Amino acid sequence: MTRLFNDPATFTEDMLGGFLDIHASYVVGVPGGVVRATETPPGKVAVVVGGGSGHYPAFCGVVGAGFADGAVVGNIFTSPSAQEAVSVARAAHGDAGVLLLTGNYAGDVMNFGLAVEQLRADGIDARFLTVTDDIASAGPEDLVRRRGIAGDFTVFRCAGACSEEGADLDEVERVAVKANAATRTLGVAFDGCTLPGADRPLFTVPAGTMGLGLGIHGEPGIASHEMPTAAELARLLVSGVVAEKPAGASGRVAVILNGLGRTKYEELFVVWNSVAALLAESGYTVVHPEVGELVTSLDMAGCSLTVMWLDEELERLWTSPADTPAYRKGGVSAQAGVGRSQFTQAAVHVAVADADPASQAGGRVVAESFSAIAAQMVESEDDLGKIDAVAGDGDHGRGMVKGSTAAAEAARAVAAQAGGIASVLRAAGDAWAAKAGGTSGVLWGAALNAAAGVLGDHGLPGDTAVAAALRAGYDALAALGKAARGDKTMLDAFGPFVDAFAESVNAGADWRSAWSQSAEVAHKAAASTAELRPMVGRARPLAERSIGTPDAGAVSLALCITTVTQLIEEKR
Amino acid sequence: MTRLFNDPATFTEDMLGGFLDIHASYVVGVPGGVVRATETPPGKVAVVVGGGSGHYPAFCGVVGAGFADGAVVGNIFTSPSAQEAVSVARAAHGDAGVLLLTGNYAGDVMNFGLAVEQLRADGIDARFLTVTDDIASAGPEDLVRRRGIAGDFTVFRCAGACSEEGADLDEVERVAVKANAATRTLGVAFDGCTLPGADRPLFTVPAGTMGLGLGIHGEPGIASHEMPTAAELARLLVSGVVAEKPAGASGRVAVILNGLGRTKYEELFVVWNSVAALLAESGYTVVHPEVGELVTSLDMAGCSLTVMWLDEELERLWTSPADTPAYRKGGVSAQAGVGRSQFTQAAVHVAVADADPASQAGGRVVAESFSAIAAQMVESEDDLGKIDAVAGDGDHGRGMVKGSTAAAEAARAVAAQAGGIASVLRAAGDAWAAKAGGTSGVLWGAALNAAAGVLGDHGLPGDTAVAAALRAGYDALAALGKAARGDKTMLDAFGPFVDAFAESVNAGADWRSAWSQSAEVAHKAAASTAELRPMVGRARPLAERSIGTPDAGAVSLALCITTVTQLIEEKR
């Protein structure tokens, strides 16, 4: 929802005030909207775009060189008045006429239509064109009734670039008409938006569904779908838009994947991955595509795909330089220098030391342990994430799955190459650190490598060697993590386990019995981290949230120990 | 929430795939992240930034000239591994060393710390620095424990710009340390974000409240506030950050007002309006401020204010050219031309024709009517909005309030200047059209002007003249709106009213009686628009939504008619 405002009634004015301040080098305010900070030079047609606000950067954000000369800015989702359109057009006008451009909405059509009459009465040659790119808003037999959505961007841009080249009003109007005829958009929405000061959304989309063709102000769409995957959505959008290819159009296209506000760049990139592949499969060459927020609707969730089929002229205009507050094109410092050759992922090469048969057998058992641990982590991922979300960022479960799965794979691979215990442990540790990332990944990697150093690749280790290996792992953890027991980390479970293990071995137990006996200690210790102070070095208020919740790292470590215990019991 | 993904486990890889495709002219992928598409030239220090993903454009989006040479990209909200950091650093390294930069988080500190050791072991001079700008994460006595948030942007940028100038590794490191020491950020959050594939948010903020200092991964903040106005928030952020002004710092500052993802540009501009004023009041000169999404957290709602106190060197670096996928600075086409003189809102000049005393008296009554209508519209704003939201965009109530309030003001002003009936009506109509915007504003303006043309400024009109004026208003509406009765517009209420009025007058009634008798007709007609087909030219599915709901324009027109009826009854 829209949360930040002073008086909802002055939201647009307040917004324009901030916009004009921050972009004072590009734009100045005039009654009804904004114009470029520089006078329109003699002979240049003024391209004035407009519509309701709430769609930033559309359209005050694209006033500048190579794009619009002015933007008429209405209230949120409301057409500006004819008087406002006249005011901005007069301010933007030089001596070569004005082209007014909006999306095709009833209010814009009336107000800008009246504005054209008034401008002509004043002796200014004015034309008006509406963009009709939304293929969901009316059928192909009814093009003039289609609404304008993100295709506004391609049409306004080509008209602005054409005017910047010095074309006269007839030419600029011809190019705008051509760009509109070549542009098609299909959009989807996952959730509505809330007007400033409103206590409920303007419209909603049922959870888990997607409205196909839902308008950017909540105008009804043509169908409701179950929420698709990113790849399925890409297929739906590409096939929908491409089916409307204008007769005789070329295979070169400008493409926009536009986010409506709450659908973020990361998600758009995931969808683009599939869109790019599908367009390539269909034989299209994509020219200077744009992925991002170009025509938004406050915090509406959703996106749209726009394709403009290019001829030579439109391609030249689409790729020409532009310099506006929110959209820039053309070299600032034209990345000079030598292009890189493509990097490729080098195959991971694991050195496997010569191991004797006993250690090879041990290595296979260690590899088995990692497989069991990985399976356990997959099962526990959600629980670990929830525990971690109390005081951390909730990614512990995912990190443990990624790390242990990679460790199990690497361990199996090295065991299959006749690696000994130490080689298997090292491979597992390195893979864990490399794939899990985060804090726990690097700590597990360090602990496993330290243990490997004690155990070696020759012979089966004795009970005291296992105790020493565990101790070495613990010491590596403590050193790298710069933490001590009581700081509410995995050390709080691992320390008591290592101590209990050493005590059992010193009392004469073999390592398997010592392990089983100590596992319970690790569990209790992990649970008791719920009572501990939080780790030193975190902000004070963390204490209030994390007391009462065990540490996720301690819990996952205890789970790993139990998993190995079960394997030991099975093998007895 | 994050809705678009394929397999949540491969979200980061899929995202990077799309990012690399769309920005292939800037970047290429390497194991662990991205580097510039051009080789690092001899003698240039490589600045490699990094951290978990989910913060776009931070930080793969700022790899390019004048900024980073490479970005290490971890999984969502998860530190990359040491191996990944080494991989990207090696790829970015030329021959002059590498500076690694991250925010101050435990996982990044460990993994990048290990990476530095490995790079040095390979003979690459590597340094590592973490950004600590978040003043809410630890006290001023404990700077090294502060987290890095949007201040990453200023620090990374200055280091990158310094390296672009050709400085050696010692110099680039010195600048990064200085920029970090000069940078402070305070953030707020209004709602959490959802990891790809998760069925609930990572964390939440209670509705109607704001978490002060809440971290960008949901780390605990320092206080919970009631949701403030935009101006109150600006004051809180500015006073919090400015209180931490470093000793001896200048009055020139770089400033970032950063949106976290769901808080949109329009809202940020509203807040900026107050931030700019407060900083100016405090005697600060703001240098090249940035308002927008620079360091996000998926779709988290919230924003932060970053201030970097500038000396001559930092100002030069902050304002130097940059060219990256998501951040560009420096002239593309350096807006040439003559700067505009500032436009100011011209005082509205209304020509008041000479009116006779009778028409002057009539004008005062008309002005009274508009005041009554405006009061009624304020009362009905919410109801009209709700009706309009069914088939439209819910702005009808707001538009009617804006229009009628402006009309009432203009009418009072002209009546006070001894304007006659026609002058008052014209002023009201022009103000309504100018201030309401949208469809209904321009239609009301046209209707009132047409009626004024019939009534004139001399004498009180007779009953048939009033009927003719209403008819003229109706005709103007129909012509401008290009609609007919039955299209579910205000014509459906106005038409029957005008007909009934004419019939009453023809049957001998005076205009006051005719008005009162016909008001009921308008109401019934407005209500019956619930049964009508929707307006021609709208998409088919609208029919399904709008049948059963009356047309908001017809309802508001009927309300206006009733308001005037009450005034007539009172004056009898």
Side-chain angles (χ1 to χ4, degrees):
Chain A
M1 63 185 294
T2 301
R3 290 181 170 85
L4 294 175
F5 50 84
N6 295 306
D7 178 358
T10 61
F11 185 85
T12 302
E13 291 85 338
D14 294 349
M15 179 271 286
L16 266 180
F19 168 76
L20 289 169
D21 179 89
I22 200 92
H23 293 301
S25 63
Y26 285 101
V27 284
V28 295
V30 295
V34 310
V35 295
R36 292 193 201 176
T38 51
E39 295 282 357
T40 304
K44 183 184 184 304
V45 171
V47 173
V48 172
V49 303
S53 57
H55 304 300
Y56 192 85
F59 284 100
C60 58
V62 294
V63 173
F67 224 125
D69 295 277
V72 196
V73 181
N75 286 308
I76 300 278
F77 293 0
T78 304
S79 167
S81 68
Q83 182 183 319
E84 289 166 332
V86 168
S87 162
V88 175
R90 277 203 190 114
H93 184 241
D95 61 3
V98 181
L99 178 62
L100 294 160
L101 295 167
T102 72
N104 188 29
Y105 295 90
D108 295 316
V109 169
M110 283 184 219
N111 282 294
F112 282 76
L114 282 181
V116 164
E117 288 175 23
Q118 290 182 36
L119 290 165
R120 287 184 184 158
D122 291 351
I124 295 177
D125 192 358
R127 319 279 172 89
F128 173 44
L129 182 80
T130 60
V131 177
T132 56
D133 59 311
D134 182 1
I135 64 175
S137 55
E141 74 292 349
D142 215 11
L143 291 178
V144 296
R145 290 200 171 124
R146 286 183 169 175
R147 298 185 292 256
I149 47 177
D152 287 356
F153 196 89
T154 57
V155 178
F156 295 1
R157 164 77 168 123
C158 288
C162 179
S163 140
E164 205 75 48
E165 284 185 349
D168 66 17
L169 185 55
D170 286 342
E171 277 290 286
V172 176
E173 187 183 20
R174 178 187 60 74
V175 158
V177 169
K178 182 163 81 169
N180 184 49
T183 298
R184 301 285 188 280
T185 300
L186 180 58
V188 293
F190 319 129
D191 205 0
C193 52
T194 307
L195 298 175
D199 59 358
R200 74 197 70 185
L202 184 54
F203 61 96
T204 56
V205 177
T209 72
M210 170 180 88
L212 180 67
L214 197 65
I216 57 173
H217 315 96
E219 297 93 340
I222 49 178
S224 177
H225 281 251
E226 256 189 59
M227 190 65 207
T229 66
E232 287 162 359
L233 176 60
R235 190 167 291 278
L236 183 76
L237 294 176
V238 169
S239 62
V241 173
V242 162
E244 287 241 356
K245 178 180 181 176
S250 83
R252 295 180 70 81
V253 286
V255 183
I256 296 174
L257 181 63
N258 177 59
L260 290 179
R262 207 187 320 168
T263 298
K264 301 314 302 173
Y265 279 76
E266 285 87 350
E267 297 175 272
L268 295 175
F269 290 140
V270 171
V271 176
W272 178 256
N273 217 13
S274 299
V275 168
L278 290 165
L279 287 172
E281 269 173 36
S282 308
Y284 281 107
T285 303
V286 176
V287 179
H288 290 216
E290 297 286 340
V291 174
E293 297 181 351
L294 299 181
V295 183
T296 62
S297 274
L298 296 175
D299 65 329
M300 187 170 164
C303 62
S304 62
L305 181 71
T306 298
V307 171
M308 176 169 67
W309 278 266
L310 299 169
D311 61 8
E312 206 175 302
E313 181 179 51
L314 291 178
E315 180 161 340
R316 185 186 75 239
L317 297 169
W318 174 246
T319 57
S320 69
D323 187 13
T324 77
Y327 182 75
R328 307 185 69 190
K329 196 175 252 312
V332 174
S333 59
Q335 300 227 0
V338 184
R340 276 181 208 275
S341 48
Q342 289 288 322
F343 287 82
T344 48
Q345 173 91 47
V348 176
H349 177 74
V350 182
V352 178
D354 283 338
D356 65 13
S359 192
Q360 287 176 17
R364 287 193 292 275
V365 174
V366 171
E368 242 180 284
S369 307
F370 280 107
S371 293
I373 286 171
Q376 179 63 52
M377 290 303 110
V378 168
E379 202 181 312
S380 306
E381 177 178 351
D382 284 353
D383 291 335
L384 292 171
K386 280 171 203 161
I387 295 171
D388 185 41
V390 175
D393 56 10
D395 67 349
H396 186 73
R398 172 109 306 254
M400 288 298 288
V401 168
K402 285 216 166 199
S404 61
T405 305
E409 269 174 35
R412 276 196 299 273
V414 171
Q417 293 167 60
I421 291 173
S423 294
V424 170
L425 280 171
R426 278 200 191 97
D430 289 348
W432 195 311
K435 296 296 177 189
T439 317
S440 70
V442 63
L443 290 170
W444 271 91
L448 293 169
N449 267 290
V454 174
L455 296 173
D457 273 327
H458 294 277
L460 286 177
D463 305 320
T464 50
V466 176
L470 289 170
R471 176 71 62 193
Y474 175 84
D475 290 344
L477 274 189
L480 181 61
K482 296 198 174 61
R485 277 195 228 184
D487 286 349
K488 200 158 176 164
T489 72
M490 57 200 288
L491 290 184
D492 294 332
F494 200 31
F497 174 75
V498 169
D499 290 350
F501 188 98
E503 207 174 305
S504 291
V505 166
N506 289 343
D510 68 67
W511 75 264
R512 288 183 181 79
S513 310
W515 188 287
S516 298
Q517 288 159 24
S518 311
E520 182 66 12
V521 172
H523 262 276
K524 283 194 184 143
S528 73
T529 58
E531 319 305 326
L532 287 173
R533 287 196 318 105
M535 181 171 160
V536 176
R538 291 206 171 178
R540 187 69 41 88
L542 183 53
E544 291 152 29
R545 267 173 73 179
S546 65
I547 285 193
T549 310
D551 176 67
V555 170
S556 62
L557 181 87
L559 271 174
C560 293
I561 289 171
T562 307
T563 307
V564 174
T565 309
Q566 285 161 352
L567 211 68
I568 289 171
E569 303 289 341
E570 281 169 23
K571 289 198 173 288
R572 265 184 206 272
Chain B
M1 62 185 294
T2 301
R3 290 181 169 85
L4 294 174
F5 50 84
N6 293 307
D7 178 358
T10 62
F11 185 85
T12 302
E13 291 85 340
D14 293 349
M15 179 272 285
L16 266 181
F19 168 76
L20 290 168
D21 178 89
I22 202 91
H23 293 300
S25 62
Y26 285 102
V27 284
V28 295
V30 295
V34 309
V35 294
R36 291 192 201 175
T38 51
E39 295 281 358
T40 304
K44 183 185 185 305
V45 171
V47 172
V48 173
V49 303
S53 55
H55 304 299
Y56 192 86
F59 283 101
C60 58
V62 294
V63 173
F67 223 124
D69 295 276
V72 195
V73 181
N75 286 307
I76 299 279
F77 295 179
T78 305
S79 167
S81 68
Q83 182 184 318
E84 288 165 333
V86 168
S87 162
V88 175
R90 277 203 189 116
H93 184 241
D95 60 4
V98 181
L99 177 62
L100 295 160
L101 295 167
T102 72
N104 189 29
Y105 295 91
D108 294 317
V109 170
M110 282 183 218
N111 282 295
F112 282 75
L114 281 180
V116 164
E117 288 176 22
Q118 289 180 39
L119 289 165
R120 286 184 183 158
D122 290 352
I124 295 176
D125 193 358
R127 319 279 171 90
F128 173 45
L129 182 79
T130 60
V131 177
T132 56
D133 60 311
D134 181 2
I135 65 174
S137 55
E141 73 293 349
D142 215 11
L143 292 178
V144 296
R145 291 200 171 123
R146 287 183 168 176
R147 297 185 292 255
I149 47 178
D152 288 356
F153 197 90
T154 57
V155 178
F156 295 0
R157 163 78 166 122
C158 289
C162 179
S163 139
E164 206 75 48
E165 285 185 346
D168 66 17
L169 186 55
D170 286 342
E171 278 290 286
V172 177
E173 187 182 20
R174 177 186 61 73
V175 160
V177 168
K178 182 164 80 170
N180 184 48
T183 298
R184 301 284 188 279
T185 300
L186 180 58
V188 293
F190 318 128
D191 205 359
C193 53
T194 306
L195 298 175
D199 58 358
R200 76 196 69 185
L202 185 53
F203 60 97
T204 56
V205 177
T209 73
M210 170 180 89
L212 180 67
L214 197 65
I216 57 172
H217 315 95
E219 298 92 338
I222 50 179
S224 179
H225 281 251
E226 257 189 58
M227 191 66 207
T229 65
E232 288 162 0
L233 176 60
R235 190 166 292 278
L236 183 77
L237 293 176
V238 169
S239 63
V241 173
V242 162
E244 288 241 355
K245 178 179 180 176
S250 83
R252 296 181 69 82
V253 287
V255 183
I256 296 174
L257 181 63
N258 176 59
L260 291 179
R262 207 186 321 170
T263 299
K264 300 314 304 174
Y265 279 76
E266 285 88 350
E267 298 175 270
L268 296 174
F269 290 140
V270 171
V271 176
W272 178 257
N273 216 13
S274 299
V275 168
L278 290 165
L279 287 171
E281 270 174 36
S282 309
Y284 281 107
T285 303
V286 176
V287 179
H288 290 214
E290 296 286 340
V291 173
E293 297 182 350
L294 299 179
V295 182
T296 62
S297 273
L298 297 175
D299 65 330
M300 187 170 165
C303 63
S304 63
L305 181 73
T306 298
V307 170
M308 176 168 67
W309 278 266
L310 298 169
D311 62 8
E312 205 174 303
E313 181 179 52
L314 291 179
E315 181 161 341
R316 186 185 74 238
L317 298 169
W318 174 246
T319 58
S320 68
D323 187 12
T324 76
Y327 183 76
R328 308 185 69 192
K329 195 174 248 316
V332 175
S333 60
Q335 299 228 0
V338 184
R340 276 181 208 275
S341 48
Q342 288 288 321
F343 287 82
T344 49
Q345 174 91 45
V348 177
H349 177 72
V350 181
V352 178
D354 283 337
D356 64 14
S359 192
Q360 288 175 17
R364 286 193 292 274
V365 174
V366 171
E368 241 181 284
S369 307
F370 281 107
S371 293
I373 287 172
Q376 179 63 52
M377 290 303 110
V378 168
E379 201 181 313
S380 306
E381 177 178 351
D382 284 354
D383 290 336
L384 292 171
K386 279 172 203 160
I387 294 172
D388 185 42
V390 175
D393 55 11
D395 65 350
H396 186 72
R398 173 107 307 255
M400 287 298 291
V401 168
K402 285 214 166 199
S404 60
T405 304
E409 271 174 35
R412 275 195 299 272
V414 171
Q417 294 167 59
I421 293 175
S423 295
V424 171
L425 280 172
R426 277 201 192 95
D430 288 348
W432 195 313
K435 296 297 178 189
T439 316
S440 70
V442 63
L443 289 170
W444 272 90
L448 292 169
N449 268 290
V454 174
L455 297 173
D457 274 327
H458 294 278
L460 286 176
D463 305 321
T464 51
V466 176
L470 288 170
R471 176 70 61 192
Y474 175 84
D475 290 344
L477 274 188
L480 181 61
K482 294 196 176 61
R485 278 195 226 181
D487 285 348
K488 200 159 177 165
T489 72
M490 57 202 287
L491 290 184
D492 293 331
F494 201 29
F497 174 75
V498 170
D499 289 350
F501 188 97
E503 209 173 303
S504 293
V505 167
N506 288 343
D510 67 67
W511 76 264
R512 288 185 181 79
S513 309
W515 187 289
S516 296
Q517 286 159 24
S518 310
E520 182 66 14
V521 173
H523 262 278
K524 282 196 185 140
S528 74
T529 59
E531 318 306 325
L532 289 172
R533 288 196 318 105
M535 180 171 160
V536 176
R538 291 207 170 177
R540 186 71 39 88
L542 183 53
E544 292 152 28
R545 268 172 72 180
S546 64
I547 286 194
T549 310
D551 176 66
V555 170
S556 62
L557 181 87
L559 271 173
C560 294
I561 289 171
T562 307
T563 306
V564 174
T565 309
Q566 286 161 356
L567 212 68
I568 290 172
E569 304 289 342
E570 281 167 23
K571 290 199 175 288
R572 266 184 205 271

